[in-house]
Amino acid sequence: MTADDDMIPEFDVEFFRNNSFFRKKCIKCGMMFWTQDRERMTCGDPPCDEYGFIGNPAGKGPMSIDQVREAFFEYFSRDHGLVRPYPVVPRWREDVLLVNASIYDFQPHVTSGMVRPPANPLVMSQPSIRMNDLDSVGISGRHLTSFEMLCHDAFNTPQNLVYWVDGTVSRCHGLLTEAIGINGNEISYKEKPWSGGGNAGNALEVFVRGLEVATLVFMDLKEDPSGEIDVDGLLYRKMDQRIVDTGYGLERISWVTTGAPTVYDSIYRNAIDTILLKSGMKVDGRKYMGEITRVHSSEPDRPSREIESDIENKLANYGRIDWKYVDRIRQAYILGDHCRSLIHMFRDYVIPSNVKVGYLMRLLLRRSFRAIDYLGFNGSLMDIMKIQEENLKGIVDGFPHEFAESIIAEEWEKYRKSESRGKEEIERILKKKGKIDVEDLELLYDSYGIVPDMVSQQVEEKGMSIEIPNDFHNRIVSKHSSHKENVKSTMIDEFRNLETRTLYYDDPRMMEFTAIVLGSRGNLIVTNQTAFYPTGGGQPHDLGFFKIGNRHIDVIDVIRQEKAIIHVLTEEIPRGTRVRGFVDYDRRRQLMIHHTSTHLLLGITRSFIGDQVWQAGAQKGVESSRIDITCNIKITRDMADEIERRCLKAITDNRKVTVRNLEWNMAIGKYGFRLFEGGVPLSDHLRVVDIDGIDVEGCGGTHLSSTGEIGFLKIISVENIQEGIQRITFCSGPAALKYVQKIEGDFNSIRDYVRATSDVPLRVKENMDELLKLREKSREMVRRSAESIYGQSELIDLEGVNLRLLECDDEESKVLIPILMKNGESGIILSGKSVTVVGKTEKEASLIYMHLYNSAPGKAGKVITDTMTKGITEKLIN
């Protein structure tokens, strides 16, 4: 899949051949491209071509992003199904933090063929956030952290060919020429292989006057270590599906039709104008920003500061460029861009933290705060966000203003405090190392939110300088963008193709069953059916035993391997044996109570605190269980009490618990992405657990039939386990009764200890107050005794060192040590079986130590017996 002069069969597109396209080799980069312009010699991709639309727009007229989106939908709605945008936080995936492209919505469940697409073919506009070009945002004139990716996708199978390369290219060209009005001679299609998310394929990058407006991917490869097709060093094999994955830049298409100086001026000029006006700047003072953007487009790989001299030369007719003014405009661009991304994150209730997507949000917030400071912006972050919210109307609805305002206020306060501590840390590093290096810059940013230019300013005030990497923020993002990888357990080949019927889903109350052993290896067996629940979804495995005749063989673990349920036993059972299984009822029942209670507690807590509450983890146990939730406020004891009361109300209401298996898209359409609170199953159906009016989520655990069976729920503790995440530990049913009985038993014991007949807490307090007074008196007596011992001691001479020899008990020694140190004296303190050396100087302490060592070889500094202590005393005195 490398470009050369030979025709790539995949791109021998009938549409190209029938519409006077020429396949050429770019004279600058050597890549192959298609064009209707016979004279064209370059592919259209910067730096082979620079932007030719700034001040000279393409198309039939300027189009806003709303107009482009509407035109896109109108063009494709004739034969495509419209799909609503997904959230920017992909809770249906466990391998990425943010949606970077529209295809993320369908990986891996749809692209693997497991789940049917929500429409086929489909059209949508997917909000996306990319942080990998953060250092270029506001500088290059074209980079955005958030954007909408328009797409028309088709999922072809051997049984159903929707459309492939020809159909894709003809639709793309039709959209650009007919709906947008771009001259066909100005469109070029550059051939380039594509890979991502475990898939790959040929691709065409689409350019208009030097600006990439779309990428057309023909995904027909799946990553496979044993594959025969190499793409960028990874091996792939052909897959059954052939997927058309297109991505059109909504903002870029709008930009190419307006010819604005930058993409920011094109898509949200109202926000930029407001920022400039409230920063005391003219809104019409961007006369050379378009030319700066054009120069950046021709040298995209060179750092901004390196090409400033080139920009000066190319823009000589504008006079001397005021780079300080340019920097302020760029900060306005950054502020406008980041507010747009923050709206999407707030809409998905992201809570700032120092990990995962929360860190990326905090990064954007602190860069925004820095821009506000730099500009002297006379307004608030919410002022700009409200403008951007209006710009995103129809794409972001139901924006949680109260939640956003509380988060911003809290983060602003943290930013100010971190800024102050960071400046102190800079001083400490300079004092220790005499310089600031890249690792220090990363530490200062990660720990204190101090951006490099602030560090540079403080260092320069001391007559020093530092080198700031041009990709500094990209390094930070890369460090925090990794997500957990899916780790597959080792497969047992003997069980690979076996399938076990899951009786625990048919009837979660089934505790006895008969089965036949389908597979056996050592103490592992797979049966044709089982009521034993395997570990999964935070719920531990069942225990119990198999019975063969009069033999009882314990089940000590249960594991799922694809469609097989593996039982780990204390003895071997051969294949083909008929067995009878018995599940530990009390354990299963308690786990069902706790699992259902977890759903109840989550739903009640969300209704009480707000929609920012999401499950961040859970572990069900027998004695107690826990659930971790995202929450930006501290849950107090009073709040926990109210949550308990509401849970009790739901329990006494005896809400119905319903379990349904729904097709993936149907489930999402009905319940939304809250379904993925407890994880993401790789299945074409979602098992949906619905507590009537309280909580709905996908879950593979075992549950009760109604909330009334829980009995009652008791919150044991609430604690912060990391920023933005709180852990609620609780127990329900028999476990809750046992917990309360233990508390009552402890209470009765305390009552007996303090001999109280009533008002036990008051009696305990009185006893504690009395104890504290006695302790204070005891400490005073020890202090006086120690001072007396010190006062009665005499200075003795030890080889020229004056010291005091003090004999006391352990408590008195704690007082004597500071007395000696305060008075600047040396001494030996003999307390019980220990000896403590105190020296005015290190030299004196060493001398005393050596004398002790000679008195008691091998024991000095360790345990010294009473006999040795007496001997040391006599030697020192004599």
Side-chain angles (χ1 to χ4, degrees):
M1 294 178 63
T2 57
D4 53 33
D5 291 325
D6 298 325
M7 177 70 72
I8 299 177
E10 201 70 74
F11 287 143
D12 184 14
V13 184
E14 183 179 354
F15 177 80
F16 284 154
R17 286 189 280 105
N18 292 344
N19 288 275
S20 304
F21 276 83
F22 304 92
R23 187 170 187 261
K24 297 186 176 187
K25 185 173 184 178
C26 179
I27 61 172
K28 292 188 177 180
C29 70
M31 299 292 284
M32 305 304 295
F33 69 98
W34 293 87
T35 178
Q36 289 179 314
D37 184 356
R38 182 185 294 273
E39 304 301 320
R40 186 176 188 86
M41 303 302 293
T42 50
C43 62
D45 187 0
C48 303
D49 290 84
E50 68 174 29
Y51 292 169
F53 63 91
I54 294 177
N56 180 33
K60 59 186 177 184
M63 299 177 70
S64 68
I65 54 176
D66 290 336
Q67 289 171 326
V68 173
R69 190 188 306 111
E70 183 180 348
F72 191 88
F73 287 162
E74 183 179 348
Y75 184 84
F76 286 102
S77 62
R78 56 195 178 194
D79 59 353
H80 288 64
L82 178 63
V83 176
R84 285 194 54 76
Y86 284 30
V88 296
V89 178
R91 303 186 193 274
W92 61 93
R93 295 183 62 167
E94 297 180 334
D95 58 333
V96 291
L97 299 177
L98 290 166
V99 170
N100 283 189
S102 56
I103 196 63
Y104 276 44
D105 297 350
F106 313 118
Q107 289 175 317
H109 47 285
V110 176
T111 56
S112 67
M114 182 177 296
V115 174
R116 67 175 179 84
N120 193 18
L122 62 81
V123 60
M124 71 184 302
S125 182
Q126 174 59 46
S128 304
I129 296 180
R130 288 183 186 174
M131 305 283 282
N132 54 317
D133 291 317
L134 195 60
D135 290 287
S136 298
V137 172
I139 307 297
S140 69
R142 72 180 183 278
H143 285 97
L144 300 163
T145 54
S146 68
F147 57 93
E148 284 182 53
M149 181 174 282
L150 300 167
C151 73
H152 59 95
D153 294 349
F155 300 84
N156 300 287
T157 65
Q159 298 78 29
N160 180 30
L161 176 63
V162 184
Y163 60 80
W164 190 227
V165 179
D166 188 70
T168 304
V169 176
S170 61
R171 285 171 170 81
C172 173
H173 203 73
L175 169 82
L176 295 178
T177 56
E178 298 168 25
I180 310 301
I182 296 172
N183 187 325
N185 281 356
E186 295 185 310
I187 305 171
S188 58
Y189 297 84
K190 179 182 177 180
E191 299 175 9
K192 191 175 183 180
W194 173 92
S195 62
N199 297 111
N202 283 312
L204 291 170
E205 294 178 343
V206 187
F207 295 91
V208 175
R209 296 189 187 174
L211 181 67
E212 183 180 0
V213 296
T215 300
L216 314 177
V217 175
F218 308 102
M219 187 191 304
D220 60 352
L221 301 176
K222 178 180 177 60
E223 190 175 338
D224 186 342
S226 60
E228 298 178 349
I229 303 172
D230 184 290
V231 181
D232 296 329
L234 293 176
L235 293 177
Y236 293 81
R237 62 170 173 80
K238 287 283 185 178
M239 59 185 191
D240 292 335
Q241 282 199 98
R242 293 191 298 167
I243 300 170
V244 173
D245 167 29
T246 68
Y248 294 75
L250 170 69
E251 294 82 3
R252 290 193 171 197
I253 295 174
S254 174
W255 186 21
V256 85
T257 68
T258 63
T262 68
V263 69
Y264 322 108
D265 296 300
S266 174
I267 61 177
Y268 42 75
R269 185 182 179 105
N270 56 347
I272 301 302
D273 285 352
T274 299
I275 295 170
L276 295 177
L277 283 171
K278 289 194 173 186
S279 302
M281 299 171 68
K282 295 179 180 179
V283 298
D284 59 350
R286 287 165 273 179
K287 60 181 180 179
Y288 38 63
M289 293 309 298
E291 295 303 320
I292 291 175
T293 301
R294 194 195 305 276
V295 174
H296 272 283
S297 75
S298 63
E299 302 187 67
D301 297 326
R302 287 183 63 191
S304 172
R305 299 304 180 190
E306 286 186 15
I307 62 175
E308 284 185 358
S309 59
D310 292 352
I311 294 174
E312 293 267 13
N313 295 332
K314 291 184 179 182
L315 305 185
N317 58 314
Y318 284 98
R320 186 175 177 276
I321 296 177
D322 184 350
W323 288 106
K324 221 169 186 182
Y325 179 76
V326 171
D327 283 342
R328 295 193 74 197
I329 292 177
R330 286 170 167 173
Q331 289 298 318
Y333 291 154
I334 289 172
L335 185 55
D337 168 89
H338 289 7
C339 282
R340 198 163 178 247
S341 295
L342 288 168
I343 285 175
H344 289 296
M345 289 184 164
F346 277 125
R347 181 63 188 85
D348 286 351
Y349 292 99
V350 177
I351 296 175
S353 68
N354 285 329
V355 296
K356 298 181 181 178
V357 70
Y359 179 87
L360 301 181
M361 185 183 199
R362 175 166 287 166
L363 179 62
L364 292 178
L365 280 167
R366 291 194 169 179
R367 278 173 59 91
S368 300
F369 296 153
R370 174 58 180 156
I372 287 173
D373 284 346
Y374 188 90
L375 289 165
F377 177 66
N378 183 25
S380 70
L381 202 60
M382 281 301 296
D383 293 337
I384 307 304
M385 291 182 67
K386 286 176 181 177
I387 296 173
Q388 294 291 45
E389 180 192 359
E390 189 65 26
N391 291 338
L392 291 168
K393 203 165 187 178
I395 295 297
V396 176
D397 294 320
F399 182 70
H401 290 93
E402 187 176 339
F403 170 69
E405 286 173 353
S406 66
I407 290 290
I408 290 170
E410 185 178 342
E411 286 298 303
W412 183 266
E413 184 179 352
K414 289 180 180 178
Y415 171 71
R416 286 298 183 217
K417 289 179 180 178
S418 295
E419 192 177 40
S420 175
R421 291 197 301 270
K423 290 177 179 178
E424 295 174 1
E425 183 65 13
I426 293 172
E427 293 291 337
R428 188 192 69 78
I429 293 172
L430 287 173
K431 187 175 181 180
K432 180 181 179 181
K433 298 172 62 175
K435 65 174 184 177
I436 301 284
D437 54 30
V438 174
E439 288 73 22
D440 297 323
L441 287 175
E442 291 182 0
L443 171 68
L444 289 165
Y445 195 96
D446 264 348
S447 301
Y448 304 99
I450 300 296
V451 293
D453 60 328
M454 289 180 63
V455 181
S456 179
Q457 181 180 348
Q458 189 169 337
V459 168
E460 286 173 1
E461 289 173 358
K462 297 181 178 296
M464 304 165 65
S465 63
I466 57 174
E467 186 174 340
I468 302 172
N470 290 294
D471 63 345
F472 175 78
H473 286 99
N474 289 345
R475 294 186 185 198
I476 294 292
V477 168
S478 297
K479 192 166 71 170
H480 289 270
S481 290
S482 60
H483 206 10
K484 68 179 182 180
E485 297 179 357
N486 291 326
V487 180
K488 295 183 178 179
S489 60
T490 303
M491 297 287 288
I492 300 174
D493 288 336
E494 293 95 315
F495 305 151
R496 186 177 294 274
N497 297 316
L498 300 181
E499 182 173 353
T500 305
R501 180 180 176 184
T502 51
L503 299 174
Y504 48 82
Y505 284 152
D506 296 343
D507 180 4
R509 288 173 170 74
M510 182 184 293
M511 299 294 135
E512 297 182 21
F513 65 98
T514 58
I516 296 173
V517 178
L518 299 179
S520 175
R521 193 187 83 172
N523 66 331
L524 309 177
I525 65 166
V526 173
T527 54
N528 66 321
Q529 59 182 11
T530 186
F532 283 99
Y533 181 84
T535 299
Q539 179 173 326
H541 58 83
D542 286 331
L543 295 177
F545 62 90
F546 282 112
K547 186 176 181 182
I548 306 172
N550 294 323
R551 291 171 60 204
H552 286 64
I553 301 174
D554 290 336
V555 176
I556 58 176
D557 198 357
V558 189
I559 307 164
R560 174 183 286 277
Q561 176 180 292
E562 295 185 344
K563 295 183 178 181
I565 306 299
I566 302 173
H567 306 78
V568 183
L569 312 176
T570 53
E571 299 179 34
E572 297 182 12
I573 300 178
R575 185 166 64 90
T577 304
R578 181 178 293 275
V579 295
R580 187 167 184 81
F582 296 84
V583 178
D584 183 332
Y585 172 81
D586 290 337
R587 176 184 169 89
R588 161 70 76 78
R589 176 73 179 174
Q590 184 60 69
L591 289 172
M592 289 170 64
I593 291 171
H594 275 161
H595 206 145
T596 308
S597 297
T598 303
H599 290 228
L600 173 67
L601 185 58
L602 177 63
I604 293 295
T605 304
R606 180 186 299 118
S607 67
F608 178 56
I609 294 177
D611 285 336
Q612 67 266 43
V613 173
W614 283 79
Q615 180 174 314
Q619 183 61 54
K620 294 83 181 177
V622 176
E623 300 299 326
S624 65
S625 291
R626 68 172 189 261
I627 181 171
D628 300 337
I629 60 170
T630 59
C631 188
N632 62 309
I633 58 176
K634 169 65 179 173
I635 299 177
T636 64
R637 185 66 251 180
D638 287 344
M639 293 170 69
D641 289 346
E642 177 60 25
I643 291 169
E644 283 182 345
R645 281 191 287 271
R646 295 189 182 198
C647 284
L648 182 60
K649 174 70 167 55
I651 291 170
T652 55
D653 286 347
N654 199 25
R655 299 291 184 110
K656 187 176 181 181
V657 180
T658 306
V659 180
R660 301 184 185 92
N661 284 298
L662 299 178
E663 190 273 330
W664 180 288
N665 293 299
M666 181 187 296
I668 292 175
K670 185 173 183 178
Y671 297 112
F673 293 95
R674 287 278 180 188
L675 287 175
F676 301 111
E677 295 267 14
V680 185
L682 282 176
S683 170
D684 60 343
H685 280 67
L686 295 176
R687 187 169 184 270
V688 178
V689 178
D690 181 355
I691 300 181
D692 183 30
I694 294 177
D695 181 70
V696 181
E697 60 182 276
C699 183
T702 56
H703 297 85
L704 305 170
S705 299
S706 66
T707 58
E709 296 180 61
I710 293 173
F712 90 105
L713 181 151
K714 178 64 185 169
I715 294 176
I716 298 172
S717 64
V718 181
E719 58 182 324
N720 287 321
I721 59 170
Q722 68 182 55
E723 195 172 14
I725 296 182
Q726 296 185 55
R727 172 168 292 169
I728 303 176
T729 303
F730 67 96
C731 53
S732 301
L737 176 62
K738 185 177 179 181
Y739 174 75
V740 171
Q741 288 174 336
K742 182 180 183 303
I743 292 176
E744 184 181 32
D746 292 343
F747 180 82
N748 289 334
S749 296
I750 293 170
R751 182 182 59 190
D752 293 341
Y753 292 150
V754 299
R755 299 176 182 176
T757 56
S758 63
D759 205 346
V760 176
L762 177 62
R763 187 59 185 270
V764 170
K765 182 180 181 304
E766 290 173 348
N767 284 1
M768 286 300 300
D769 290 343
E770 184 178 351
L771 178 62
L772 290 173
K773 289 178 182 178
L774 289 172
R775 283 183 177 175
E776 185 57 37
K777 287 182 180 179
S778 176
R779 280 195 291 267
E780 178 62 21
M781 290 176 64
V782 169
R783 185 184 65 78
R784 290 179 180 178
S785 176
E787 289 177 346
S788 175
I789 291 171
Y790 173 81
Q792 294 176 18
S793 66
E794 295 181 0
L795 287 170
I796 63 174
D797 180 86
L798 176 65
E799 299 182 13
V801 176
N802 290 323
L803 58 82
R804 292 184 184 273
L805 183 65
L806 306 165
E807 294 190 68
C808 59
D809 62 27
D810 291 337
E811 291 299 315
E812 291 165 338
S813 72
K814 296 175 184 177
V815 180
L816 285 169
I817 291 171
I819 291 176
L820 286 172
M821 295 176 68
K822 180 180 179 181
N823 294 329
E825 294 182 338
S826 298
I828 299 174
I829 301 174
L830 305 172
S831 56
K833 294 184 178 182
S834 65
V835 177
T836 305
V837 173
V838 178
K840 284 189 297 183
T841 64
E842 187 176 339
K843 183 178 180 181
E844 285 193 1
S846 297
L847 185 74
I848 299 169
Y849 177 83
M850 289 306 298
H851 192 93
L852 290 177
Y853 181 82
N854 293 330
S855 302
K859 299 292 183 180
K862 299 179 183 177
V863 177
I864 300 178
T865 64
D866 291 335
T867 304
M868 291 177 180
T869 300
K870 184 177 180 182
I872 291 169
T873 305
E874 291 174 352
K875 287 184 179 180
L876 288 171
I877 293 174
N878 296 330

